[in-house]
Structure formats: structure tokens, C-alpha cells
Amino acid sequence: MSLSSPQSGVQRQVTGLGFAGASSDISRGSPVPGSPYVSPEFGRIQFRLGYDFQQMTLTLKLICAVDLPAKDFSGTSDPYVKIYLLPDRKHKLTSNIKRKCLNPHWNEVFTFEGFPYSKLVNMSLYMQVLDYDRFSRDDPIGEVILPLNDIDLLNGETFWRDLQPCKGHVGRLGELLISLCYNSTKGQIIVNVVKARQLKSKDINGLSDPYVKVWLMIDGKKVQKRKTKVHPKTLDPVFNDFFVFDVPFENIRHASLLISVMDHDLIGTNDLIGQILLGCKSSPQEAKHWNEMLTKPRKAIEKWHMLKDLG
């Protein structure tokens, strides 16, 4: 695969080389032998970088990842990696998808051709690990950003890096803290919209005027709506609003909650900031919250959720 620019190019080459396990002990960022190892929340990724000054080519070998979080109901993920040289976001390289795996080995080589060293030192390698989903949007797992001016490109280096939560570079929308409680005797779901944090700005002043809509859905159809008050000019609103929805126990497996964070606009249409869907058939993290509510009746279960663009 090559770029259209005559001055620079990007190629992808898959090699049959085995995993270089011996090099992992001496690569930068690897655990120190004999020291206690704590698995990071989002997993780790191993890769090697080198630069050919004569050919003006940067070579990235994507080796493997370990301890990735499960994103699928099966308890696994289908990970792959998107690669950019920032600030250029027009040209993207993508690894192969590794099915049902939390410790994938890629051993794929990517080359970035026609990049003078003087240009590379002002760029950053960006890798985003995602979980492939055939029927909906792919779920971000984690990311790594590595400024190339920190690297000894002449001799080449192998790195271990902890994956960080995906944020600015992938369009972070914010997070919402929700408490759920199910009273099976009365057949009621009590929803507490507690607060939100780091919401995406929707107004020209760099802020938003957020409020939250909560729809009770039965078999995917909207049947009842509640909403909070508007909190003007903030990206970290505290709502603490309670809503009660009547859902008899025989209908609870057919129910779900569509929760939307909106930006109120006095003129024109209110803007959607992000959503979450809580129910038995939601994404793994949301479904886990819902199922915990059902298995612990009359107990308030509170969790943070990443807002998504559900389309």
C-alpha cells in the first residue's frame, strides 16, 4: 500500500518472522526480571522501530500485545491496530485482526518511505488498538503515542508500552456516572443520573449546556422518557436526579435504557453529545452493569460509562 504523495510513501509488509521473545527482556519499558508485575488496565503492546537514513525509511515492526481487556461477551476480543504518523491523519495503516485473543502476536512490518529525518523528529507514532465488531462500531481498547524525537532511530529499539485509555485522538465524548437499582417486589427500576465528566464541548465558548434524557425501551421500542434539568456552561455537570420506571419482573429481560447526554440550545436543535445503552444485550461493560443490578436486587449499583456515538 503506497501513499499518493510523490514525496513520501507508506507500505505494509507482513513477514513470517517468529515472535522475538528473547528481545523482550531487554526492550525499553519491559518488566525488570524478578520484580512484581502488575498488569495494566488496558494491556501492553510490543513493537520495534528503526530508520534507514539512506532510504529515508522508518520501519515499524508490530510484534504483539498482552493482557488486553475482553470486549466481547465470549470473554475475549478481536484486536487489531490502527497506525498513524501524527500530525498526519489522512494516511492510516491497519494490522490484521486476531480473532478471539487477548494476547495477540502480529509480527507485521510497516514501512514509511520518503520521510527525511528532519521531518520525522517533529512527528509522533500513534497506535490505537481496537476490538473488531462485525455488527456495530469497533470498540477502542487503548492507545500509545510516542514522539519520535525521543527515540534512537539510528540503532533501532524494541519497546514495551502500556496502553492508555483512548481520548483526544479518537474523539472522546465524555463519561457518565449512573446508578441502577431494581426492586423486584414492586417491579421498578430506579435510575440515578449522578454526574458527568470531561464532556465534549458543543458551544463556541468551549463549554456545553448539558442535560440527560433517559428512555425506557421494551423490545427496542421507546415507551417512557424522563430528563434532567439543564446545567449551563459546564463540561462536568452534577445532576443527582432520580427516575423510577415501572418494569414488571416478567418484562425485565426485554427492557433496556437508552441514556443520551444532550447540549441544550436556545436557538435551533439540541445537540447530541453521546449515549449509552444499558440492557442484557448491550456491549459487555454496559451489560455487566445491568446484570449486576438484576443479581443484587434493592441495591444501588453505580458505575462510570464511556459515552458513545451509537449512530
Side-chain angles (χ1 to χ4, degrees):
M1 179 168 64
S2 299
L3 300 184
S4 57
S5 168
Q7 298 299 322
S8 63
V10 180
Q11 294 184 333
R12 174 181 179 275
Q13 178 187 359
V14 182
T15 71
L17 297 177
F19 171 56
S23 66
S24 63
D25 290 336
I26 58 173
S27 58
R28 284 178 57 179
S30 62
V32 177
S35 65
Y37 171 68
V38 179
S39 174
E41 182 179 359
F42 301 97
R44 312 188 83 208
I45 191 168
Q46 188 186 37
F47 56 96
R48 182 172 179 80
L49 283 173
Y51 183 69
D52 186 320
F53 281 82
Q54 288 188 334
Q55 301 296 325
M56 293 191 299
T57 297
L58 176 71
T59 300
L60 164 68
K61 182 180 180 182
L62 177 64
I63 301 172
C64 68
V66 296
D67 300 329
L68 297 181
K71 292 288 186 176
D72 299 334
F73 289 112
S74 61
T76 62
S77 292
D78 302 313
Y80 71 97
V81 182
K82 289 183 180 179
I83 302 163
Y84 297 90
L85 276 184
L86 300 178
D88 177 16
R89 294 187 57 82
K90 294 180 181 179
H91 305 106
K92 173 185 67 179
L93 294 174
T94 306
S95 75
N96 291 323
I97 299 167
K98 297 297 181 180
R99 305 284 181 177
K100 298 181 180 180
C101 184
L102 300 180
N103 299 284
H105 286 189
W106 285 286
N107 289 315
E108 297 180 39
V109 174
F110 303 85
T111 57
F112 300 82
E113 298 179 344
F115 284 86
Y117 181 77
S118 58
K119 181 178 181 180
L120 275 180
V121 293
N122 295 315
M123 306 183 81
S124 295
L125 174 68
Y126 174 68
M127 293 184 290
Q128 182 187 20
V129 182
L130 301 102
D131 170 51
Y132 172 77
D133 195 322
R134 181 179 177 185
F135 300 106
S136 63
R137 294 176 184 270
D138 297 345
D139 292 324
I141 293 177
E143 67 181 12
V144 168
I145 304 173
L146 188 68
L148 294 180
N149 60 0
D150 294 341
I151 308 305
D152 181 6
L153 292 175
L154 177 61
N155 296 312
E157 293 187 69
T158 301
F159 300 86
W160 278 106
R161 283 292 184 269
D162 292 351
L163 292 170
Q164 303 299 315
C166 298
K167 40 191 177 183
H169 292 284
V170 291
R172 184 184 177 95
L173 301 174
E175 294 177 277
L176 186 65
L177 183 61
I178 294 290
S179 172
L180 299 177
C181 179
Y182 186 60
N183 187 323
S184 56
T185 304
K186 295 183 177 180
Q188 293 180 331
I189 300 176
I190 300 95
V191 181
N192 179 11
V193 180
V194 184
K195 59 184 176 180
R197 63 187 180 193
Q198 299 178 9
L199 295 178
K200 185 174 182 179
S201 170
K202 289 289 186 176
D203 298 336
I204 59 175
N205 61 5
L207 300 172
S208 290
D209 302 310
Y211 69 97
V212 178
K213 290 193 303 184
V214 183
W215 274 102
L216 171 66
M217 303 174 70
I218 303 295
D219 290 326
K221 296 182 180 180
K222 296 177 179 177
V223 297
Q224 193 175 12
K225 181 179 74 171
R226 297 285 188 269
K227 62 181 180 180
T228 70
K229 295 180 181 179
V230 176
H231 289 249
K233 298 180 181 179
T234 179
L235 300 180
D236 301 281
V238 177
F239 300 104
N240 204 31
D241 287 324
F242 288 82
F243 306 112
V244 178
F245 296 95
D246 293 322
V247 183
F249 183 75
E250 59 268 22
N251 290 336
I252 193 66
R253 293 291 175 181
H254 301 278
S256 58
L257 295 170
L258 178 63
I259 304 177
S260 305
V261 181
M262 308 292 297
D263 172 50
H264 178 67
D265 200 332
L266 291 174
I267 303 174
T269 306
N270 296 335
D271 295 322
L272 175 66
I273 296 176
Q275 296 175 305
I276 60 172
L277 180 65
L278 299 173
C280 295
K281 298 181 180 179
S282 302
S283 297
Q285 294 301 317
E286 289 82 359
K288 181 179 179 181
H289 190 183
W290 184 266
N291 290 331
E292 189 172 350
M293 171 194 74
L294 298 180
T295 57
K296 300 177 180 179
R298 301 188 182 185
K299 181 178 180 180
I301 309 298
E302 187 176 279
K303 291 187 183 297
W304 282 101
H305 293 280
M306 192 80 70
L307 293 173
K308 300 178 181 179
D309 179 3
L310 297 180

